[in-house]
Amino acid sequence: MTLNHPSRRHFLQTVSAAFAASVTGLRAAEKEPLFKISLAEWSLNKGMFKKDGAEPVEHLDFCKIARSLGIDGVEYVNQMFADKALDKAYLDEMKKRQEGEGVKGLLIMVDREGNLGDPDDAKRAKTVENHLKWLDAAKHLGCHSIRVNAASDPKLAYDEQMKHAAAGLHALCVEADKRGLYVVVENHGGLSSHGLWLTGVMKMADHERVGILPDFGNFYTDRNKGELYNPYKGLREFMPWVKQAMSAKAYDWDTGAGKFYTEDRREGREMSLDYQRLVEIVVKAGYRGYIGIEYEGSKHTEIEGIKRTKQALEEVRALMS
């Protein structure tokens, strides 16, 4: 019997092919973007609420709009389907459209369900209960998180507000853990926009499912008084607590402040954000997830504002790659 041994040439060809495949794989990995870009539904709030003369938009078309803009991740806002959290048929339709457009449902931003830091134990427990339907909806849509607010009674002392917010978040995280989801808090005014306060809440909440969803532009601790926590300092403080989401708040572009500067000029007050500096903080902290566009300006239409913000994120990303 003659045994067929592989020739030396065949062996070298096999080794060469394996090496080439490994190099190709490494090159593909190297080409992975520093971060991905998603779209927060709030960017279309004027159209969805049909106000300020904006082009009307339907909630169920959100995924289609995101895909038309070259975006493959979406962040829902519960206000856009507030009465549908328990409507399985409606959620099924959302999921169908999401999958049909080839986009990922990342999270649901939850508002108007009570204060998780309410000092009254019964009211705080009720707020936690109010959020459960949104946890279930998020799980149904394949999301990784719900975004919540850590509001308490602003009349209470700093430490008291922290204690109550942490208690509410911990209780909600226990429920989120059962569903494999995260509960992430946005800096959304008041003490939640104070870097040291919100990170203190994280430590006190003491749960692996709790985290922060930083918003580049929501660092006013008191907008009426113009009290602003340093956005760059706050973002650096938040980064260790970030899970899988980030909000790139954007206002007016091309204001003359600089190529990557966006400016909020509402209420006779001006706030400028240096996108390049903000994104560098995010990337240097090791974050590689989605950064969500949240356009709130008035100079551009909502679609134009989204496009301009996406362009800025892409150009900054290219400079860093």
Side-chain angles (χ1 to χ4, degrees), residues 252-263 270 272-276 299 308 312 315:
D252 293 339
W253 292 99
D254 306 321
T255 61
K259 184 173 184 181
F260 297 121
Y261 281 81
T262 185
E263 291 186 342
E270 184 170 297
S272 297
L273 295 174
D274 181 344
Y275 252 48
Q276 185 168 359
K299 180 178 178 180
R308 183 63 186 82
E315 289 184 11

Side-chain angles (χ1 to χ4, degrees), residues 275-299:
Y275 252 48
Q276 185 168 359
R277 184 178 176 188
L278 290 163
V279 173
E280 284 177 351
I281 290 171
V282 170
V283 172
K284 286 178 181 178
Y287 182 78
R288 295 296 182 269
Y290 280 92
I291 297 182
I293 296 168
E294 191 171 67
Y295 175 69
E296 277 194 8
S298 56
K299 180 178 178 180

